[in-house]
Amino acid sequence: MNNRSADYQKAIDFHGHCCPGLTIGYLAAKAALAHLKVERAADEELVTIVESDGCGIDAVQVLLGCTIGKGNLIYKDYGKQAYTIGNRSTGQAVRVVMTGDMVPLTTEQETIKAAVFSGQATPEQEEAWHKLQSERTARLLATPFEEIFKIQDVELKLPSEAQIFNSVICEYCGEKVMEARARLKNGKIACLACTEEYSRGW
């Protein structure tokens, strides 16, 4: 792992550490770029829909240039390691879904993992876990895209580019809120945080 590519190292630096989850996102982004025959978006040229909030999303932001702030990263809480990337210039889109299996952890490795995640790991367990993660990551990086992901062209209705809205003042908390997200509560302007949701189960 001493000869990391520059883009992979950027993803690690952004995320804070190297792990299999980040690597899956990195490889998914690389697969999408290759499939669409494009480079990282300078602005909003690419749009990505992610279906979980795992580590891989950080690699997607770094490699694809898709972020929440630019409005071209869309999060759907489906719990899937799936990434749909669309190209505004061509209308082409690809869906990259992880289908390969990570090598399951042994009982001993699960014990080490539990100790590390609980903050109770010994120095030896910490070292063993980092070594294991490096081995799992190296194995992923050495595997062809097609053995990890299902990669297929899809039709995607691309969302409009990000808009800038006027702000209004919530008359309950006094904070500014985007006009498009403001509501009326008892005839007064209210932000969503100050508005009680009304639902009858629909």
Side-chain angles (χ1 to χ4, degrees):
M1 299 300 291
N2 294 327
N3 297 316
R4 292 169 174 158
S5 63
D7 56 0
Y8 186 48
Q9 187 60 54
K10 283 183 180 178
I12 294 169
D13 292 342
F14 180 73
H15 185 58
H17 64 266
C18 179
C19 65
L22 180 75
T23 305
I24 290 167
Y26 168 78
L27 293 173
K30 294 285 281 188
L33 290 172
H35 189 87
L36 295 174
K37 297 180 175 60
V38 294
E39 297 182 350
R40 183 186 191 277
D43 194 16
E44 299 179 45
E45 298 86 355
L46 298 178
V47 175
T48 299
I49 299 172
V50 297
E51 299 182 24
S52 75
D53 59 355
C55 300
I57 295 175
D58 283 351
V60 165
Q61 293 183 86
V62 172
L63 267 76
L64 300 183
C66 297
T67 69
I68 292 287
K70 288 195 294 185
N72 60 344
L73 177 63
I74 299 168
Y75 166 57
K76 295 187 177 181
D77 190 12
Y78 294 164
K80 297 181 180 182
Q81 287 182 312
Y83 310 82
T84 302
I85 298 90
N87 182 350
R88 290 189 188 280
S89 300
T90 64
Q92 185 182 7
V94 62
R95 181 173 165 82
V96 182
V97 184
M98 184 177 180
T99 55
D101 293 324
M102 292 288 295
V103 177
L105 299 179
T106 65
T107 301
E108 180 183 359
Q109 291 168 341
E110 287 286 4
T111 300
I112 293 172
K113 176 183 176 181
V116 170
F117 278 63
S118 68
Q120 304 297 316
T122 64
E124 292 77 15
Q125 288 175 318
E126 290 276 2
E127 183 178 351
W129 177 249
H130 289 307
K131 180 181 178 183
L132 175 62
Q133 290 291 76
S134 293
E135 291 171 353
R136 298 171 79 201
T137 297
R139 191 159 50 243
L140 280 169
L141 290 169
T143 304
F145 294 149
E146 294 75 16
E147 293 182 22
I148 303 174
F149 305 109
K150 177 173 68 174
I151 304 169
Q152 60 184 140
D153 290 308
V154 294
E155 289 190 11
L156 178 64
K157 183 179 180 181
L158 294 170
S160 59
E161 294 187 5
Q163 299 180 46
I164 298 176
F165 293 92
N166 293 327
S167 294
V168 294
I169 302 297
C170 172
E171 296 182 65
Y172 290 87
C173 66
E175 296 175 354
K176 287 184 178 181
V177 58
M178 181 194 304
E179 190 174 50
R181 293 290 181 268
R183 298 289 186 270
L184 282 178
K185 178 180 177 182
N186 298 323
K188 296 180 179 181
I189 296 174
C191 67
L192 291 175
C194 292
T195 304
E196 296 176 5
E197 182 179 352
Y198 174 72
S199 172
R200 297 182 66 186
W202 296 101

